[in-house]
Amino acid sequence: MKINHRRQEVTQILGDNEVILAAATFVVEVERLHGKLPQLMVKKATDLKVPLLAIAMSGRIQANHARKRLEALNAAIEYANGDMSARKRYIAASQQADRLADLVAKRVEKI
């Protein structure tokens, strides 16, 4: 029973990581292309908001990390839509999320 619970927990962590990684990838692309992205990519990033919010509100291991990635994603979307003042916000939130990712990695290693 305990093994099945851990297996489910690990599977859930991997699924959460895919969503978080997609959000982080979008933020990196925004920085790389200086906010000049096709609207299709912005639309796909907007679709990531709901799963990220679900992870952030879940109370799981990655909740804080997902919350910061969501903050960075929102600011990156604003920057891609032409708000130049959002650049500092997504960079700061992304750096904070990277720090939280290190903490989450240490906790996951213990599982």
Side-chain angles (χ1 to χ4, degrees):
M1 188 65 152
K2 195 173 186 177
I3 293 173
N4 286 337
H5 178 67
R6 286 193 180 199
R7 185 177 297 147
Q8 287 175 340
E9 190 175 356
V10 169
T11 303
Q12 193 172 39
I13 288 171
L14 291 174
D16 293 351
N17 278 346
E18 287 180 23
V19 173
I20 292 170
L21 181 62
T25 303
F26 176 76
V27 173
V28 169
E29 284 296 307
V30 168
E31 179 65 18
R32 187 175 72 82
L33 298 174
H34 305 288
K36 307 285 191 268
L37 282 116
Q39 283 300 310
L40 181 63
M41 284 184 72
V42 176
K43 173 74 173 117
K44 285 182 181 179
T46 305
D47 293 341
L48 290 173
K49 286 183 179 183
V50 174
L52 264 179
L53 185 61
I55 296 167
M57 300 303 288
S58 68
R60 294 193 290 261
I61 291 175
Q62 296 157 314
N64 290 333
H65 182 211
R67 200 170 294 123
K68 278 298 171 185
R69 284 288 175 214
L70 181 60
E71 186 180 327
L73 180 68
N74 283 333
I77 289 171
E78 289 174 20
Y79 182 66
N81 286 331
D83 182 5
M84 294 302 159
S85 65
R87 185 171 185 266
K88 280 186 178 179
R89 287 194 315 250
Y90 82 74
I91 290 173
S94 185
Q95 288 172 344
Q96 291 170 354
D98 290 342
R99 287 187 217 111
L100 287 170
D102 292 337
L103 294 174
V104 168
K106 289 177 184 174
R107 280 192 249 159
V108 169
E109 285 177 0
K110 293 178 183 177
I111 292 178

